[in-house]
Amino acid sequence: MTARVTGLWRHPVKAIGREAVARVTLTAAQTFPWDRAWAAPHARSRADGSEWAHCGSFARGVNLPALMAVEARFDEAALHLTLTHPDRPSLTVDPDTEGAAIIDWLGPLVGDDPRAPVAVVRAAERGMTDSDWPSVTLCNRASHVAVEEAAGRPLSIHRWRGNVWIDGLSPWAEMDWIGHDIRIGGVTLRVREATGRCKATHADPETGVRDLDMLSLLSSRFGHTDFSVKAEVISGGDVAIDDEVTPL
């Protein structure tokens, strides 16, 4: 069976919202376009978007599980972002100039937690991925199915907040790509490392409520707490749904 792309996802504001796209143009040494283009630092953070900052500098699902249920629609032409959540009315704003409106909108979801967001900043050079280098996250659908089987129930793929979803591989085959190059559509990527996971994965992305100890499940059933791999774009180009994925 040929491995193919079955999903492309971006997360315009780090940890806050997700959006499917049908096609994307990747650039060498850059992140997935408009992925983590903004981030929301908390009161204890000094991050201002001028340079990459550790994920602990920002509001995120590991501490604020309700954020996991936010969905997004981003209008690239107008630079307008629409956020939705099952417990909130929709909000459409320009994240560059109306960050305060986003913070107000999130208020009922995050309460007075000290790690709640206090601002929205734009990443100056590249998306604020969790890695200190510009990464694109590749997810294997068969590995997700293996986790579902271990959990004994269906699970949303959005627990993983990945960029590129691939079907047609055996479970955990993506881990064999680490240290090697692969071709997806018109793009060459170098797979550099596995993605270590945190308690954000404990929350159901449909509700934002913690309902599963994912880290314990991964550790007890698979001997690790990783899911997906992080890759660097070596040679840019277009990637679309149904593109073939080939190890080089």
Side-chain angles (χ1 to χ4, degrees):
M1 182 178 179
T2 301
R4 296 191 178 278
V5 174
T6 54
L8 296 168
W9 292 85
R10 63 188 181 190
H11 310 83
V13 183
K14 183 179 180 70
I16 304 169
R18 58 184 179 267
E19 178 183 26
V21 295
R23 176 181 295 273
V24 66
T25 300
L26 298 181
T27 302
Q30 286 293 323
T31 53
F32 196 99
W34 299 110
D35 186 58
R36 282 85 170 181
W38 292 270
H42 50 69
R44 299 174 179 174
S45 172
R46 296 183 179 179
D48 61 4
S50 62
E51 60 184 5
W52 181 85
H54 187 273
C55 61
S57 301
F58 305 107
R60 53 196 181 122
V62 64
N63 302 312
L64 306 167
L67 298 182
M68 292 291 286
V70 178
E71 296 190 36
R73 296 192 306 277
F74 181 60
D75 183 332
E76 298 178 22
L79 293 182
H80 282 171
L81 175 69
T82 298
L83 300 176
T84 61
H85 185 280
D87 297 328
R88 299 290 291 137
S90 64
L91 174 73
T92 300
V93 293
D94 178 339
D96 283 329
T97 61
E98 298 177 285
I102 296 176
I103 300 306
D104 289 344
W105 184 83
L106 291 170
L109 301 177
V110 299
D112 58 0
D113 190 290
R115 292 150 300 189
V118 297
V120 175
V121 298
R122 186 164 180 173
E125 297 182 355
R126 53 91 166 182
M128 286 284 185
T129 55
D130 285 353
S131 56
D132 60 2
W133 50 276
S135 57
V136 174
T137 306
L138 313 179
C139 302
N140 177 1
R141 174 74 71 163
S143 298
H144 178 74
V145 171
V147 175
E148 287 184 314
E149 291 173 347
R153 59 186 174 93
L155 300 171
S156 169
I157 65 169
H158 302 306
R159 290 180 189 258
W160 312 115
R161 298 183 67 78
N163 296 130
V164 182
W165 278 88
I166 300 166
D167 276 17
L169 301 170
S170 58
W172 310 109
E174 69 278 18
M175 300 301 174
D176 296 334
W177 292 345
I178 295 172
H180 301 281
D181 292 353
I182 63 169
R183 187 81 173 168
I184 304 179
V187 176
T188 301
L189 303 103
R190 181 158 300 148
V191 180
R192 291 181 51 170
E193 60 189 43
T195 308
R197 292 297 169 169
C198 67
K199 290 183 179 180
T201 58
H202 291 201
D204 181 351
E206 302 304 318
T207 65
V209 175
R210 289 185 178 130
D211 66 346
L212 175 66
D213 187 339
M214 181 65 80
L215 297 186
S216 292
L217 178 69
L218 289 172
S219 180
S220 63
R221 296 298 297 272
F222 304 106
H224 58 75
T225 55
D226 300 329
F227 188 91
S228 77
V229 291
K230 297 174 184 174
E232 176 184 1
V233 180
I234 302 300
S235 176
D238 292 338
V239 175
I241 300 297
D242 204 41
D243 276 352
E244 187 171 339
V245 180
T246 308
L248 298 178

